[in-house]
Amino acid sequence: MTFTLPDLPYAYDALQPYMSKETLEFHHDKHHAAYVNTGNNLLKGSELEGKSVEEVVKGSYGKNQPLFNNAGQHYNHIHFWQWMKPKGGGAIPGSLERKIKEDLGGTEKFKEDFIQAGVTQFGSGWCWLAVKDGKLTIMKTPNGENPLVHGAKPILGCDVWEHSYYIDYRNRRPDYLKAFIENLVNWEHVEKMYSEASR
Ligand code: MN3
């Protein structure tokens, strides 16, 4: 399977004012497209050609760094677009909210810790809500890494590379993370990934 760039699940201007049309045009059409194109060039002739995106991510980790970087970022961005929606944020669906309370000390504590993970990821990377050994956990990873290569399944991730926020927030990464969690997250999609990850 070759990588393909998915369309955004909403219009380029649909996430304004929290994420601008300009940011989405650059982020999706230039950055994500580059991971897809470079990833496909690196996949050609490799032993992972024909595997699923997840299999390429796991199979290249620690073995083929250039391929891993691009496959990891392709996987991360496929989900990143779906983890947001217009008029996002708001109430967390009941079953997931209960699990957040049980494993992470409640919604407010979870939000604080998620933002903190994103703020303290030094340089480029991601912060995550993931399922590991049946429990919810907050993680952060550098560059294109994700929870898949650390024995966990991501159910929500926020891109903290500067290309994700610098046009709209300049250096104010904490403000971007707060807007993401309060106004952009598609919790229905997070809950769907949570039930799939819990099977
Ligand atoms: Mn990005």
Side-chain angles (χ1 to χ4, degrees):
M1 196 172 86
T2 51
F3 297 161
T4 43
L5 182 66
D7 288 336
L8 284 181
Y10 30 73
Y12 286 92
D13 61 0
L15 302 183
Q16 302 197 105
Y18 305 106
M19 190 174 281
S20 66
K21 181 169 180 273
E22 189 184 3
T23 289
L24 282 174
E25 284 169 349
F26 274 93
H27 200 173
H28 177 273
D29 298 1
K30 306 290 182 195
H31 293 275
H32 190 175
Y35 301 131
V36 167
N37 294 334
T38 309
N40 280 332
N41 287 332
L42 294 165
L43 259 179
K44 255 179 231 151
S46 86
E47 59 188 11
L48 294 166
E49 200 175 2
K51 304 280 187 189
S52 73
V53 181
E54 277 192 35
E55 287 171 322
V56 176
V57 169
K58 290 182 191 171
S60 59
Y61 182 62
K63 292 176 185 155
N64 183 340
Q65 190 67 37
L67 177 57
F68 173 75
N69 290 340
N70 288 280
Q73 284 291 70
H74 179 43
Y75 175 91
N76 297 347
H77 287 82
I78 289 172
H79 293 288
F80 184 58
W81 311 130
Q82 299 189 53
W83 281 321
M84 299 186 287
K85 67 169 189 179
K87 299 191 172 67
I92 301 175
S95 60
L96 180 58
E97 193 190 22
R98 281 193 293 281
K99 185 72 174 161
I100 286 174
K101 194 173 178 189
E102 196 179 305
D103 293 343
L104 300 172
T107 304
E108 288 315 307
K109 176 85 164 68
F110 151 69
K111 287 180 179 175
E112 275 171 33
D113 291 348
F114 183 87
I115 290 170
Q116 193 57 19
V119 168
T120 56
Q121 169 53 43
F122 186 74
S124 295
W126 294 73
C127 58
W128 305 96
L129 176 62
V131 179
K132 187 170 190 179
D133 303 325
K135 282 191 183 280
L136 290 179
T137 181
I138 291 169
M139 303 174 74
K140 58 183 173 181
T141 57
N143 303 316
E145 260 182 45
N146 61 45
L148 288 180
V149 297
H150 298 288
K153 290 181 180 171
I155 61 169
L156 175 67
C158 185
D159 187 343
V160 298
W161 286 57
E162 286 184 347
H163 65 224
S164 193
Y165 62 89
Y166 223 83
I167 290 171
D168 301 325
Y169 298 88
R170 296 301 167 186
N171 62 324
R172 294 176 288 115
R173 191 191 284 189
D175 291 353
Y176 157 67
L177 281 154
K178 192 166 192 300
F180 176 83
I181 207 86
E182 297 292 350
N183 303 104
L184 290 173
V185 174
N186 180 349
W187 284 112
E188 289 70 35
H189 189 70
V190 178
E191 194 196 32
K192 183 167 165 273
M193 288 192 79
Y194 166 62
S195 32
E196 286 165 7
S198 312
R199 273 184 206 143

Short mmCIF file of all heavy atoms in Angstrom, two decimals, residues 100-121 126-130 136-141 156 158 160 174 177-178 180-182 187:
data_model
loop_
_atom_site.label_atom_id
_atom_site.label_comp_id
_atom_site.label_asym_id
_atom_site.label_seq_id
_atom_site.Cartn_x
_atom_site.Cartn_y
_atom_site.Cartn_z
N ILE A 100 -11.40 8.67 32.33
CA ILE A 100 -10.45 9.75 32.60
C ILE A 100 -10.42 10.06 34.10
O ILE A 100 -9.36 10.26 34.69
CB ILE A 100 -10.80 11.02 31.76
CG1 ILE A 100 -10.42 10.81 30.29
CG2 ILE A 100 -10.12 12.27 32.32
CD1 ILE A 100 -10.85 11.92 29.35
N LYS A 101 -11.60 10.02 34.71
CA LYS A 101 -11.68 10.26 36.15
C LYS A 101 -10.96 9.16 36.92
O LYS A 101 -10.19 9.42 37.85
CB LYS A 101 -13.16 10.32 36.56
CG LYS A 101 -13.38 10.88 37.94
CD LYS A 101 -14.86 11.06 38.22
CE LYS A 101 -15.04 11.58 39.65
NZ LYS A 101 -16.46 11.57 40.05
N GLU A 102 -11.18 7.94 36.47
CA GLU A 102 -10.60 6.76 37.13
C GLU A 102 -9.07 6.72 37.02
O GLU A 102 -8.37 6.50 38.00
CB GLU A 102 -11.21 5.53 36.44
CG GLU A 102 -11.09 4.21 37.16
CD GLU A 102 -11.78 3.12 36.31
OE1 GLU A 102 -12.99 3.31 35.97
OE2 GLU A 102 -11.13 2.14 35.96
N ASP A 103 -8.56 6.97 35.81
CA ASP A 103 -7.13 6.77 35.57
C ASP A 103 -6.31 8.06 35.68
O ASP A 103 -5.10 8.00 35.93
CB ASP A 103 -6.90 6.19 34.16
CG ASP A 103 -7.44 4.78 34.02
OD1 ASP A 103 -7.70 4.14 35.05
OD2 ASP A 103 -7.60 4.33 32.87
N LEU A 104 -6.94 9.22 35.45
CA LEU A 104 -6.15 10.45 35.33
C LEU A 104 -6.57 11.55 36.30
O LEU A 104 -6.13 12.69 36.19
CB LEU A 104 -6.21 10.97 33.89
CG LEU A 104 -5.69 10.01 32.80
CD1 LEU A 104 -5.98 10.56 31.42
CD2 LEU A 104 -4.19 9.75 32.97
N GLY A 105 -7.44 11.20 37.25
CA GLY A 105 -7.78 12.17 38.30
C GLY A 105 -8.80 13.22 37.92
O GLY A 105 -8.87 14.28 38.56
N GLY A 106 -9.59 12.95 36.87
CA GLY A 106 -10.66 13.89 36.50
C GLY A 106 -10.34 14.71 35.27
O GLY A 106 -9.19 14.81 34.85
N THR A 107 -11.39 15.32 34.71
CA THR A 107 -11.27 16.05 33.45
C THR A 107 -10.31 17.24 33.55
O THR A 107 -9.46 17.43 32.67
CB THR A 107 -12.66 16.57 33.02
OG1 THR A 107 -13.54 15.44 32.94
CG2 THR A 107 -12.61 17.23 31.68
N GLU A 108 -10.46 18.04 34.60
CA GLU A 108 -9.61 19.23 34.71
C GLU A 108 -8.14 18.86 34.85
O GLU A 108 -7.26 19.44 34.22
CB GLU A 108 -10.07 20.13 35.87
CG GLU A 108 -11.38 20.85 35.59
CD GLU A 108 -11.46 21.48 34.20
OE1 GLU A 108 -10.55 22.26 33.84
OE2 GLU A 108 -12.41 21.19 33.44
N LYS A 109 -7.89 17.85 35.71
CA LYS A 109 -6.51 17.38 35.89
C LYS A 109 -5.96 16.81 34.58
O LYS A 109 -4.81 17.08 34.20
CB LYS A 109 -6.50 16.30 36.99
CG LYS A 109 -5.17 15.64 37.25
CD LYS A 109 -4.34 16.46 38.22
CE LYS A 109 -3.17 15.68 38.81
NZ LYS A 109 -2.14 15.36 37.83
N PHE A 110 -6.78 16.05 33.86
CA PHE A 110 -6.35 15.52 32.58
C PHE A 110 -5.96 16.64 31.62
O PHE A 110 -4.91 16.61 30.99
CB PHE A 110 -7.45 14.65 31.95
CG PHE A 110 -7.40 14.66 30.44
CD1 PHE A 110 -6.36 14.03 29.77
CD2 PHE A 110 -8.37 15.33 29.69
CE1 PHE A 110 -6.29 14.07 28.38
CE2 PHE A 110 -8.30 15.39 28.32
CZ PHE A 110 -7.26 14.76 27.65
N LYS A 111 -6.83 17.66 31.52
CA LYS A 111 -6.55 18.77 30.59
C LYS A 111 -5.25 19.48 30.95
O LYS A 111 -4.43 19.78 30.08
CB LYS A 111 -7.71 19.76 30.58
CG LYS A 111 -8.96 19.26 29.86
CD LYS A 111 -10.05 20.31 29.91
CE LYS A 111 -11.30 19.83 29.18
NZ LYS A 111 -12.41 20.80 29.31
N GLU A 112 -5.07 19.74 32.24
CA GLU A 112 -3.83 20.40 32.70
C GLU A 112 -2.61 19.56 32.34
O GLU A 112 -1.61 20.08 31.84
CB GLU A 112 -3.83 20.53 34.23
CG GLU A 112 -4.55 21.74 34.78
CD GLU A 112 -4.67 21.66 36.31
OE1 GLU A 112 -3.75 21.10 36.96
OE2 GLU A 112 -5.69 22.13 36.83
N ASP A 113 -2.70 18.26 32.60
CA ASP A 113 -1.54 17.39 32.37
C ASP A 113 -1.26 17.20 30.88
O ASP A 113 -0.10 17.09 30.46
CB ASP A 113 -1.74 16.04 33.05
CG ASP A 113 -1.71 16.14 34.57
OD1 ASP A 113 -1.30 17.21 35.08
OD2 ASP A 113 -2.10 15.18 35.25
N PHE A 114 -2.31 17.16 30.08
CA PHE A 114 -2.15 17.03 28.62
C PHE A 114 -1.45 18.28 28.07
O PHE A 114 -0.48 18.18 27.31
CB PHE A 114 -3.52 16.84 27.97
CG PHE A 114 -3.49 16.62 26.48
CD1 PHE A 114 -3.33 15.34 25.95
CD2 PHE A 114 -3.64 17.69 25.60
CE1 PHE A 114 -3.31 15.14 24.57
CE2 PHE A 114 -3.62 17.49 24.22
CZ PHE A 114 -3.46 16.23 23.71
N ILE A 115 -1.94 19.46 28.49
CA ILE A 115 -1.32 20.72 28.06
C ILE A 115 0.13 20.78 28.52
O ILE A 115 1.04 21.14 27.76
CB ILE A 115 -2.13 21.92 28.58
CG1 ILE A 115 -3.48 22.00 27.83
CG2 ILE A 115 -1.35 23.24 28.44
CD1 ILE A 115 -4.48 23.00 28.41
N GLN A 116 0.36 20.37 29.77
CA GLN A 116 1.71 20.39 30.32
C GLN A 116 2.66 19.48 29.52
O GLN A 116 3.81 19.83 29.27
CB GLN A 116 1.68 19.98 31.80
CG GLN A 116 2.96 20.24 32.58
CD GLN A 116 3.40 21.71 32.57
OE1 GLN A 116 2.62 22.61 32.28
NE2 GLN A 116 4.67 21.94 32.85
N ALA A 117 2.16 18.33 29.11
CA ALA A 117 2.98 17.41 28.31
C ALA A 117 3.37 18.07 26.99
O ALA A 117 4.51 17.96 26.54
CB ALA A 117 2.22 16.10 28.05
N GLY A 118 2.43 18.80 26.38
CA GLY A 118 2.72 19.49 25.12
C GLY A 118 3.68 20.65 25.31
O GLY A 118 4.56 20.89 24.48
N VAL A 119 3.50 21.37 26.41
CA VAL A 119 4.37 22.53 26.68
C VAL A 119 5.81 22.07 26.94
O VAL A 119 6.76 22.71 26.52
CB VAL A 119 3.83 23.33 27.88
CG1 VAL A 119 4.84 24.37 28.37
CG2 VAL A 119 2.51 24.02 27.52
N THR A 120 5.96 20.94 27.62
CA THR A 120 7.30 20.49 28.04
C THR A 120 7.97 19.56 27.04
O THR A 120 9.10 19.13 27.26
CB THR A 120 7.25 19.78 29.41
OG1 THR A 120 6.31 18.69 29.32
CG2 THR A 120 6.80 20.75 30.50
N GLN A 121 7.29 19.24 25.93
CA GLN A 121 7.97 18.49 24.87
C GLN A 121 8.98 19.45 24.23
O GLN A 121 8.59 20.36 23.51
CB GLN A 121 6.97 17.96 23.83
CG GLN A 121 7.60 17.40 22.57
CD GLN A 121 8.64 16.34 22.85
OE1 GLN A 121 8.45 15.47 23.70
NE2 GLN A 121 9.78 16.44 22.19
N TRP A 126 4.91 15.67 19.82
CA TRP A 126 3.47 15.49 20.04
C TRP A 126 3.20 15.21 21.51
O TRP A 126 4.05 14.64 22.20
CB TRP A 126 2.97 14.29 19.23
CG TRP A 126 3.05 14.48 17.75
CD1 TRP A 126 4.18 14.47 16.97
CD2 TRP A 126 1.95 14.71 16.86
NE1 TRP A 126 3.85 14.69 15.64
CE2 TRP A 126 2.48 14.83 15.55
CE3 TRP A 126 0.57 14.83 17.04
CZ2 TRP A 126 1.68 15.08 14.44
CZ3 TRP A 126 -0.23 15.06 15.93
CH2 TRP A 126 0.33 15.19 14.65
N CYS A 127 2.00 15.56 21.98
CA CYS A 127 1.53 15.06 23.27
C CYS A 127 0.29 14.22 23.01
O CYS A 127 -0.41 14.43 22.02
CB CYS A 127 1.26 16.20 24.26
SG CYS A 127 0.06 17.42 23.73
N TRP A 128 0.06 13.27 23.91
CA TRP A 128 -0.91 12.20 23.63
C TRP A 128 -1.76 11.82 24.82
O TRP A 128 -1.31 11.87 25.96
CB TRP A 128 -0.15 10.92 23.24
CG TRP A 128 0.80 11.06 22.10
CD1 TRP A 128 2.15 11.28 22.19
CD2 TRP A 128 0.49 10.98 20.70
NE1 TRP A 128 2.70 11.33 20.93
CE2 TRP A 128 1.71 11.15 19.99
CE3 TRP A 128 -0.69 10.77 19.98
CZ2 TRP A 128 1.77 11.14 18.61
CZ3 TRP A 128 -0.62 10.75 18.60
CH2 TRP A 128 0.60 10.93 17.92
N LEU A 129 -2.96 11.35 24.51
CA LEU A 129 -3.76 10.55 25.42
C LEU A 129 -3.77 9.17 24.78
O LEU A 129 -4.14 9.04 23.60
CB LEU A 129 -5.17 11.11 25.55
CG LEU A 129 -6.16 10.31 26.41
CD1 LEU A 129 -5.67 10.22 27.86
CD2 LEU A 129 -7.55 10.94 26.35
N ALA A 130 -3.33 8.15 25.51
CA ALA A 130 -3.18 6.82 24.92
C ALA A 130 -3.69 5.75 25.90
O ALA A 130 -3.84 6.01 27.09
CB ALA A 130 -1.72 6.57 24.57
N LEU A 136 -5.68 4.53 30.71
CA LEU A 136 -5.37 5.76 30.00
C LEU A 136 -4.08 6.34 30.54
O LEU A 136 -3.82 6.29 31.74
CB LEU A 136 -6.49 6.79 30.18
CG LEU A 136 -7.83 6.51 29.51
CD1 LEU A 136 -8.80 7.63 29.84
CD2 LEU A 136 -7.67 6.36 28.01
N THR A 137 -3.28 6.89 29.63
CA THR A 137 -2.04 7.51 30.07
C THR A 137 -1.73 8.71 29.19
O THR A 137 -2.15 8.76 28.03
CB THR A 137 -0.88 6.47 30.04
OG1 THR A 137 0.31 7.08 30.50
CG2 THR A 137 -0.64 5.93 28.64
N ILE A 138 -1.04 9.70 29.75
CA ILE A 138 -0.61 10.87 28.99
C ILE A 138 0.85 10.68 28.62
O ILE A 138 1.65 10.26 29.46
CB ILE A 138 -0.83 12.16 29.80
CG1 ILE A 138 -2.34 12.41 29.96
CG2 ILE A 138 -0.15 13.36 29.13
CD1 ILE A 138 -2.68 13.48 30.95
N MET A 139 1.17 10.94 27.36
CA MET A 139 2.54 10.73 26.90
C MET A 139 2.99 11.95 26.09
O MET A 139 2.16 12.73 25.63
CB MET A 139 2.63 9.50 25.98
CG MET A 139 2.13 8.21 26.61
SD MET A 139 2.09 6.83 25.42
CE MET A 139 3.84 6.47 25.28
N LYS A 140 4.30 12.07 25.89
CA LYS A 140 4.82 13.01 24.91
C LYS A 140 5.94 12.32 24.16
O LYS A 140 6.62 11.45 24.72
CB LYS A 140 5.31 14.31 25.58
CG LYS A 140 6.37 14.12 26.63
CD LYS A 140 6.73 15.46 27.27
CE LYS A 140 7.68 15.21 28.45
NZ LYS A 140 8.04 16.48 29.12
N THR A 141 6.09 12.67 22.88
CA THR A 141 7.11 12.03 22.05
C THR A 141 7.78 13.07 21.16
O THR A 141 7.15 14.06 20.78
CB THR A 141 6.48 10.95 21.13
OG1 THR A 141 5.46 11.56 20.33
CG2 THR A 141 5.89 9.80 21.92
N LEU A 156 -5.85 10.28 21.26
CA LEU A 156 -5.86 11.72 20.99
C LEU A 156 -4.41 12.21 20.97
O LEU A 156 -3.61 11.82 21.81
CB LEU A 156 -6.63 12.47 22.10
CG LEU A 156 -6.61 14.01 22.00
CD1 LEU A 156 -7.37 14.50 20.78
CD2 LEU A 156 -7.21 14.64 23.27
N CYS A 158 -1.88 15.86 19.97
CA CYS A 158 -1.77 17.24 19.50
C CYS A 158 -0.36 17.49 18.97
O CYS A 158 0.63 17.21 19.64
CB CYS A 158 -2.11 18.21 20.63
SG CYS A 158 -2.15 19.93 20.06
N VAL A 160 2.70 19.48 18.28
CA VAL A 160 3.34 20.70 18.82
C VAL A 160 4.58 21.12 18.03
O VAL A 160 5.41 21.88 18.52
CB VAL A 160 3.63 20.59 20.35
CG1 VAL A 160 2.34 20.42 21.14
CG2 VAL A 160 4.63 19.50 20.69
N PRO A 174 1.48 27.28 24.79
CA PRO A 174 0.44 26.96 25.78
C PRO A 174 -0.95 27.43 25.35
O PRO A 174 -1.94 26.74 25.59
CB PRO A 174 0.90 27.70 27.05
CG PRO A 174 2.38 27.87 26.88
CD PRO A 174 2.59 28.05 25.40
N LEU A 177 -2.31 24.99 22.77
CA LEU A 177 -2.74 23.73 23.39
C LEU A 177 -4.08 23.90 24.12
O LEU A 177 -4.94 23.02 24.08
CB LEU A 177 -1.67 23.23 24.36
CG LEU A 177 -0.49 22.52 23.68
CD1 LEU A 177 0.76 22.62 24.55
CD2 LEU A 177 -0.82 21.06 23.40
N LYS A 178 -4.24 25.05 24.77
CA LYS A 178 -5.49 25.32 25.49
C LYS A 178 -6.66 25.42 24.48
O LYS A 178 -7.72 24.85 24.69
CB LYS A 178 -5.37 26.61 26.30
CG LYS A 178 -6.48 26.82 27.29
CD LYS A 178 -6.10 27.93 28.29
CE LYS A 178 -7.05 27.99 29.47
NZ LYS A 178 -8.43 28.24 29.13
N PHE A 180 -6.76 24.07 21.55
CA PHE A 180 -6.97 22.72 21.00
C PHE A 180 -7.90 21.93 21.91
O PHE A 180 -8.92 21.40 21.46
CB PHE A 180 -5.61 22.02 20.85
CG PHE A 180 -5.71 20.59 20.37
CD1 PHE A 180 -5.84 20.30 19.02
CD2 PHE A 180 -5.68 19.53 21.27
CE1 PHE A 180 -5.93 18.98 18.58
CE2 PHE A 180 -5.77 18.21 20.84
CZ PHE A 180 -5.90 17.93 19.48
N ILE A 181 -7.59 21.88 23.18
CA ILE A 181 -8.35 21.03 24.10
C ILE A 181 -9.74 21.61 24.39
O ILE A 181 -10.71 20.88 24.53
CB ILE A 181 -7.53 20.75 25.39
CG1 ILE A 181 -7.94 19.41 26.02
CG2 ILE A 181 -7.62 21.84 26.41
CD1 ILE A 181 -7.25 18.23 25.49
N GLU A 182 -9.85 22.93 24.44
CA GLU A 182 -11.14 23.54 24.80
C GLU A 182 -12.07 23.77 23.61
O GLU A 182 -13.28 23.80 23.77
CB GLU A 182 -10.92 24.90 25.50
CG GLU A 182 -10.17 24.82 26.82
CD GLU A 182 -10.96 24.12 27.94
OE1 GLU A 182 -12.16 23.85 27.75
OE2 GLU A 182 -10.35 23.83 28.98
N TRP A 187 -14.41 14.98 20.39
CA TRP A 187 -14.44 13.95 21.44
C TRP A 187 -15.14 12.68 21.00
O TRP A 187 -14.85 11.59 21.50
CB TRP A 187 -15.08 14.51 22.72
CG TRP A 187 -14.14 15.41 23.46
CD1 TRP A 187 -14.25 16.76 23.63
CD2 TRP A 187 -12.92 15.03 24.12
NE1 TRP A 187 -13.17 17.23 24.34
CE2 TRP A 187 -12.36 16.19 24.65
CE3 TRP A 187 -12.25 13.81 24.29
CZ2 TRP A 187 -11.15 16.18 25.36
CZ3 TRP A 187 -11.05 13.79 24.98
CH2 TRP A 187 -10.52 14.97 25.51
#
